């Protein structure tokens, strides 16, 4: 059974690569700066956010742009990856109706192509680290851990959303609202410490994406994220669980997709 | 090597008719509360059982709504049968609604790679076949133009060229022998004929009995989702002529 699965995956590896390539190519096609936007966009929005939040609210922290950038980059990947995965089944309805292809290829490729774009945009972060003199140490290497969790969480959410949205299209609008909620509880552009200790701190504590961003920031600033283990264990468990649930849901319902697209 | 290319074992395909158009949560909840979520069962196929030997060319006959397209989709693996199973030996390429899997923003060249990947071929294989496909589709000048600027004839030509140049083991033809202009039609028929000689297994759906007689050596008849006859083309064609009189 498992061997058969692996064989099918091998056979469709080229398709997966083609779909990832297609996602990246088509995202910036017909724009003059093309793939450069992957770098320009986070730079520009970080400029705006820095201007607004340090200029107007008088934040003293010199590395504030790095703080914003880390939060924004990770959130953007989660939001665009999960959205693309959610819409992937309907976007490829023409193919699904005609030819047999293992269907998980579609959400998987959507998350992957967004991850590639995200990985490219991390160059901006490296640049920012030099400009604002945040120098790496050994703890910086642990940044890989939140990135893995982020990928799994996005994939899991994407699988769940893509399954549900085949049956209920309203979800596409509902998820926009959900993402807004998630964004505001991610502390992208304000100080998280004050928020966690406030009365509504629990909202932050149950948001796995916020925990991932927090861990990533700790690593980038060269701190030990394991100093508060709960903030690492919770998102790790949630991201693995989301993939498990996503895969099971998708597998159980994938044969019914064709009747609803 | 297995003797059969396709084995269709007791296949049944059930649709829940009333369920098909429910795609908003609001509608679903309202219907559920009202207790209107009834399933209007409809068996498009029932107890269909037949085997296709390697190299056979099987015509599928039947009136509108007999379940021909459903059967092809089940065999192609697009529909999962409610009952029974389908076993395929070899690579299957469907020639239905040519070009429906293309991406309109992509150029012709990019679509060749994408479409072949969908059919399950590797990059090396497409690299080798690329020039042949372009040449057969007669699109040398336009291959780097986005598909959205193609005429419908150009699109079907490209679809046909890809599906036939990749040398499938099993080919599914759904009334597509009327591709493009007269010249290209002749060329595509010749191509299909030459594929017949290379021992490809073919499933062919058409309303034209003459065409089926000309192309196929075996045939089956479907009626209301049931298989009512199968065998050599002459016998089955006689039964079909009797039925449609």
């Amino acid at each position: 059974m498992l061997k058969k699965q692996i064989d099918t995956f091998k056979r469709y590896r080229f398709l997966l690569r083609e779909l990832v390539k297609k996602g990246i190519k088509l995202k910036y096609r017909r724009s003059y700066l093309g793939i450069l936007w992957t770098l320009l966009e986070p730079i520009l929005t970080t400029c705006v956010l820095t201007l607004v939040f340090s200029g107007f609210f008088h934040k003293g922290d010199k590395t504030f742009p790095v703080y914003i950038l880390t939060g924004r980059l990770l959130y953007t990947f989660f939001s665009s990856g999960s959205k693309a995965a959610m819409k992937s089944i309907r976007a490829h309805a023409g193919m699904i109706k005609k030819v047999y292809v293992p269907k998980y290829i579609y959400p998987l490729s959507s998350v992957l192509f967004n991850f590639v774009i995200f990985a490219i945009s991390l160059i901006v972060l490296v640049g920012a680290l030099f400009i604002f003199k945040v120098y790496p140490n050994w703890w910086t290497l642990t940044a890989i851990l939140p990135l893995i969790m982020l990928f799994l969480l996005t994939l899991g959410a994407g699988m769940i959303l893509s399954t549900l949205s085949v049956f209920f299209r309203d979800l596409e609008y509902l998820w926009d609202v959900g993402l807004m909620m998630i964004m505001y509880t991610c502390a992208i552009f304000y100080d998280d410490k004050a928020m966690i200790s406030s009365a509504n701190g629990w909202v932050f504590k149950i948001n796995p994406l916020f925990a991932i961003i927090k861990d990533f920031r700790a690593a980038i600033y060269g701190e030990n994220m394991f100093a508060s283990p709960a903030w690492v264990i919770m998102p790790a468990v949630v991201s693995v669980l989301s993939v498990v649930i996503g895969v099971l849901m998708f597998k159980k319902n994938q044969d019914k997709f064709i009747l609803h697209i | 090597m297995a003797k059969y290319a396709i084995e269709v074992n007791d296949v049944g395909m059930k649709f829940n008719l009333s369920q098909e158009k429910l795609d908003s949560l609001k509608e679903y909840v309202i219907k559920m509360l009202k207790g209107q979520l009834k399933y209007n069962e409809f068996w498009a196929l029932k107890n269909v059982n037949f085997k296709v030997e390697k190299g056979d060319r099987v015509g599928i006959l039947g009136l509108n709504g007999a379940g021909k397209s459903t059967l092809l989709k089940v065999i192609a693996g697009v529909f999962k049968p409610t009952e029974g199973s389908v076993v395929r030996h070899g690579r299957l390429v469907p020639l239905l609604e040519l070009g429906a899997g293309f991406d309109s923003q992509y150029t012709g060249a990019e679509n060749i790679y994408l479409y072949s990947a969908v059919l399950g071929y590797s990059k090396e294989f497409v690299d080798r076949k690329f020039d042949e496909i372009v040449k057969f589709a007669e699109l040398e000048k336009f291959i780097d133009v986005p598909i959205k600027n193609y005429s419908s004839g150009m699109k079907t030509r490209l679809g046909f060229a890809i599906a036939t140049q990749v040398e499938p083991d099993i080919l599914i033809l759904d009334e597509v022998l009327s591709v493009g202009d007269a010249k290209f039609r002749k060329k595509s028929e010749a191509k299909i004929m030459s594929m017949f000689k290379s021992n490809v297994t073919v499933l062919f759906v058409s309303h034209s009995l003459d065409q089926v007689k000309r192309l196929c050596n075996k045939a089956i008849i479907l009626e209301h989702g049931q298989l009512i006859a199968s065998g050599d083309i002459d016998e089955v064609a006689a039964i079909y002529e009797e039925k449609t009189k």
Side-chain angles (χ1 to χ4, degrees):
Chain A
M1 189 64 194
L2 189 70
K3 195 189 166 294
K4 215 182 129 198
Q5 291 274 328
I6 294 170
D7 281 348
T8 334
F9 181 74
K10 271 192 189 151
R11 196 179 143 191
Y12 286 99
R13 228 176 10 190
F14 176 47
L15 175 62
L16 186 63
R17 216 168 59 201
E18 277 294 310
L19 288 174
V20 170
K21 227 162 73 185
K22 183 176 120 176
I24 298 169
K25 272 185 176 175
L26 290 186
K27 183 158 178 167
Y28 296 108
R29 180 154 291 186
R30 295 183 66 81
S31 65
Y32 287 105
L33 295 177
I35 197 90
L36 267 182
W37 275 114
T38 337
L39 305 178
L40 271 178
E41 211 231 323
I43 292 177
L44 295 177
T45 46
T46 304
C47 286
V48 171
L49 289 173
T50 310
L51 200 69
V52 171
F53 288 94
S54 63
F56 299 168
F57 294 96
H58 299 291
K59 288 257 184 185
D61 189 1
K62 284 228 166 46
T63 61
F64 191 52
V66 173
Y67 183 88
I68 291 180
L69 198 56
T70 44
R72 221 205 68 93
L73 286 175
L74 268 63
Y75 168 77
T76 307
F77 163 65
F78 178 76
S79 120
S80 50
S82 62
K83 264 202 243 177
M86 175 171 66
K87 291 178 184 162
S88 64
I89 297 294
R90 214 142 59 79
H92 293 95
M95 286 183 191
I96 294 174
K97 279 181 188 166
K98 230 175 92 178
V99 192
Y100 170 77
V101 164
K103 291 182 194 63
Y104 63 82
I105 292 262
Y106 298 117
L108 179 62
S109 68
S110 306
V111 174
L112 275 174
F113 95 71
N114 277 292
F115 197 74
V116 173
I117 290 175
F118 165 67
I120 296 172
S121 67
L122 283 179
I123 297 172
V124 176
L125 181 62
V126 175
L129 292 182
F130 276 103
I131 293 171
F132 297 101
K133 302 194 174 61
V134 180
Y135 296 119
N137 62 17
W138 286 109
W139 287 115
T140 313
L141 292 177
T142 57
I144 193 81
L145 191 67
L147 290 185
I148 294 171
M149 293 193 282
L150 179 67
F151 179 81
L152 292 178
L153 184 70
T154 312
L155 182 64
M159 298 285 266
I160 295 171
L161 290 165
S162 65
T163 309
L164 291 176
S165 75
V166 170
F167 303 103
F168 303 112
R169 279 188 203 161
D170 308 40
L171 194 65
E172 289 181 14
Y173 305 99
L174 210 58
W175 184 237
D176 278 339
V177 183
L179 277 174
M180 196 157 83
M181 181 73 198
I182 292 172
M183 186 189 83
Y184 282 112
T185 56
C186 273
I188 294 176
F189 37 74
Y190 49 79
D191 188 12
D192 54 5
K193 288 184 192 73
M195 287 297 166
I196 298 168
S197 47
S198 75
N200 292 324
W202 60 273
V203 187
F204 292 85
K205 284 178 188 154
I206 60 162
N207 181 354
L209 189 60
F210 171 60
I212 290 172
I213 290 175
K214 198 171 149 61
D215 293 341
F216 186 72
R217 273 178 185 152
I220 291 299
Y221 281 100
E223 294 158 13
N224 178 6
M225 67 172 89
F226 303 102
S228 43
W231 287 100
V232 184
I233 295 167
M234 187 275 281
V237 171
V238 173
S239 20
V240 171
L241 210 63
S242 75
V243 173
V244 172
I245 294 173
V247 169
L248 289 177
M249 265 177 82
F250 195 87
K251 208 169 147 58
K252 189 165 173 280
N253 291 297
Q254 58 179 352
D255 294 327
K256 284 187 263 168
F257 287 177
I258 181 86
L259 305 171
H260 294 264
I261 48 176
Chain B
M1 285 292 271
K3 187 184 169 202
Y4 297 109
I6 304 167
E7 297 171 45
V8 178
N9 304 316
D10 278 319
V11 162
M13 185 76 211
K14 185 178 79 176
F15 291 104
N16 291 328
L17 287 183
S18 65
Q19 211 189 19
E20 276 183 46
K21 274 182 191 159
L22 274 183
D23 47 22
S24 85
L25 188 62
K26 192 181 109 198
E27 244 179 282
Y28 187 84
V29 171
I30 291 173
K31 286 249 160 104
M32 195 172 68
L33 291 177
K34 283 183 175 171
Q36 283 178 345
L37 272 184
K38 274 177 273 175
Y39 301 125
N40 205 351
E41 286 187 8
F42 168 72
W43 288 88
L45 294 173
K46 189 82 183 148
N47 299 330
V48 176
N49 218 334
F50 69 96
K51 289 188 169 64
V52 179
E53 279 178 42
K54 285 221 160 90
D56 265 353
R57 304 182 299 277
V58 180
I60 300 175
L61 297 164
L63 302 174
N64 278 337
K68 301 187 295 286
S69 295
T70 309
L71 179 62
L72 287 190
K73 286 193 168 176
V74 170
I75 291 173
V78 173
F79 282 151
K80 191 181 179 182
T82 322
E83 294 176 352
S85 65
V86 175
V87 186
R88 294 168 289 266
H89 302 279
R91 208 169 289 243
L92 182 142
V93 169
L95 242 84
L96 338 142
E97 304 163 49
L98 285 170
F102 287 151
D103 192 293
S104 62
Q105 294 190 63
Y106 248 25
T107 68
E110 286 167 324
N111 265 304
I112 291 179
Y113 279 93
L114 180 66
Y115 199 69
S116 316
V118 171
L119 296 174
Y121 290 93
S122 68
K123 183 175 187 308
E124 295 73 38
F125 187 83
V126 190
D127 283 339
R128 256 187 291 131
K129 290 280 171 189
F130 187 82
D131 291 335
E132 272 179 61
I133 294 172
V134 177
K135 191 159 169 266
F136 191 87
E138 300 168 14
L139 289 171
E140 289 94 338
K141 270 190 223 153
F142 305 101
I143 206 64
D144 290 320
V145 174
I147 286 263
K148 61 181 172 200
N149 299 335
Y150 276 27
S151 72
S152 58
M154 288 157 89
K155 260 188 250 174
T156 34
R157 253 153 52 203
L158 188 60
F160 184 88
I162 297 171
T164 51
Q165 295 295 328
V166 292
E167 295 165 3
D169 303 308
I170 305 167
L171 189 65
I172 293 186
L173 300 171
D174 193 355
E175 317 219 43
V176 282
L177 290 181
S178 46
V179 179
D181 56 21
K183 197 171 132 249
F184 193 79
R185 202 177 313 157
K186 220 176 257 171
K187 193 168 148 187
S188 59
E189 267 207 53
K191 174 70 194 169
I192 291 209
M193 285 301 184
S194 80
M195 289 175 82
F196 284 3
K197 284 191 195 108
S198 66
N199 215 27
V200 64
T201 308
V202 179
L203 289 180
F204 179 55
V205 169
S206 174
H207 283 291
S208 148
L209 188 62
D210 287 336
Q211 213 176 19
V212 173
K213 271 188 186 164
R214 197 149 45 87
L215 291 175
C216 303
N217 64 343
K218 297 266 176 69
I220 62 173
I221 303 179
L222 284 176
E223 195 177 73
H224 303 304
Q226 310 240 352
L227 188 73
I228 57 168
S230 69
D232 285 334
I233 180 73
D234 296 328
E235 298 166 30
V236 177
I239 300 173
Y240 189 69
E241 270 169 347
E242 198 62 36
K243 281 211 155 289
T244 49
K245 242 172 215 169

